[in-house]
Amino acid sequence: MLERFIARLPAVLLLVVILLAVHVAVFEAEDDARLLSVAPAAVLLLAYLGSGRRRRGR
Amino acid sequence: MSGLGDLHLSPDLFGLVVAAMVFLAAVHAYTKLSPYFCTCWFGAGLVFGWLWSDRPEEASAILVPVLVFYIAAAVTKGLVETRERLAGNHVLHVVMTGVFSGVIALPLESGARVMGWAMPAPALGLKGLMDGPVDPDLLGGVPILVLVVWVIAGTVFYGAYKLLDHSGLPAAWRTVLLFVGMPFLVQLVDGLADQL
């Protein structure tokens, strides 16, 4: 379990970065336009998760 | 009842979150790569962050660069591993890590502009750089030139590491050269940023 968590840490860290910015945009600044800064990182996270699924599927 | 909306991400709390993230990233590097890599990457990255930041008294300003570069490099490695034709292309790995550094730094830069989080602020704004050709509102309030500087920094940092890694030199020499080279890397990044 812990091994699997450690193996997924890059995705977890990227998700935390995204959540920090989303929290600021939604709750602190209340400015939805700031969510645009998250879009490229979210696409990157999805691509990384997709490649992880392919790696495990081999 | 308290909720997420009540959580205030003050600069102090942000510093704590970033410190915890750097710790977790180091754990990943130590267990999934090697203790040597972990020591060199995070040691050199902290030196780079201290030299690059114009707010070295703030922990997060020093820690954010090495964290951003590490996540970018790890994501690059993950993406490249599933594409065999990209596997041996080191130049592409370096460029991808640089670009991803910009992508990962963007949400943090956007948040920092609202919350006053300490970021390295690599000479931008202080040197009178303009917003650039892209409306900052399209990037969550971040001038595109800030993004470009992060891309340059990520490319230079990972490029230097990769170059030494494949130099064939003994580990001791690589370590010395990596640390001695940090001030020159920062100068290179600042020099390239000045050209923008």
Side-chain angles (χ1 to χ4, degrees):
Chain A
M1 171 94 178
L2 187 60
E3 273 295 311
R4 288 175 65 186
F5 174 71
I6 290 173
R8 287 162 177 72
L9 272 174
V12 172
L13 294 172
L14 185 50
L15 181 64
V16 172
V17 167
I18 290 169
L19 290 177
L20 284 171
V22 168
H23 178 86
V24 169
V26 175
F27 295 116
E28 307 266 12
E30 296 180 359
D31 178 8
D32 291 346
R34 291 199 169 268
L35 290 173
L36 288 171
S37 70
V38 172
V43 171
L44 187 59
L45 177 61
L46 290 175
Y48 179 69
L49 292 175
S51 71
R53 194 164 293 132
R54 270 202 297 276
R55 275 198 305 276
R56 285 190 297 279
R58 280 179 179 174
Chain B
M1 196 175 100
S2 67
L4 271 179
D6 297 329
L7 178 67
H8 176 58
L9 287 171
S10 66
D12 284 347
L13 183 57
F14 177 69
L16 177 64
V17 170
V18 170
M21 290 171 77
V22 169
F23 166 67
L24 291 173
V27 168
H28 182 264
Y30 193 97
T31 54
K32 291 292 165 189
L33 294 153
S34 75
Y36 173 77
F37 171 83
C38 177
T39 310
C40 278
W41 182 278
F42 286 93
L46 291 177
V47 174
F48 183 93
W50 192 88
L51 292 168
W52 194 37
S53 173
D54 55 6
R55 298 172 69 180
E57 71 281 5
E58 300 279 357
S60 64
I62 299 171
L63 294 171
V64 163
V66 70
L67 175 67
V68 166
F69 301 156
Y70 184 76
I71 299 173
V75 168
T76 300
K77 188 170 181 287
L79 290 176
V80 163
E81 273 179 356
T82 52
R83 292 163 178 82
E84 285 174 11
R85 63 199 158 88
L86 303 179
N89 193 334
H90 299 303
V91 174
L92 185 67
H93 294 186
V94 170
V95 172
M96 281 174 74
T97 298
V99 172
F100 293 164
S101 295
V103 168
I104 294 164
L106 178 60
L108 296 176
E109 288 284 359
S110 177
R113 274 158 175 73
V114 175
M115 305 303 298
W117 298 339
M119 293 288 281
L124 291 165
L126 298 177
K127 292 183 181 173
L129 284 175
M130 306 304 284
D131 286 343
V134 178
D135 184 354
D137 288 343
L138 293 174
L139 297 170
V142 181
I144 193 166
L145 293 178
V146 173
L147 207 62
V148 174
V149 172
W150 272 102
V151 171
I152 292 171
T155 306
V156 167
F157 184 84
Y158 190 51
Y161 189 90
K162 197 95 168 167
L163 202 62
L164 284 172
D165 203 31
H166 289 82
S167 64
L169 291 168
W173 274 108
R174 289 197 317 246
T175 311
V176 170
L177 287 174
L178 188 65
F179 279 83
V180 169
M182 281 304 126
F184 300 103
L185 291 190
V186 171
Q187 279 186 354
L188 177 60
V189 172
D190 283 344
L192 291 171
D194 282 340
Q195 304 301 315
L196 296 173

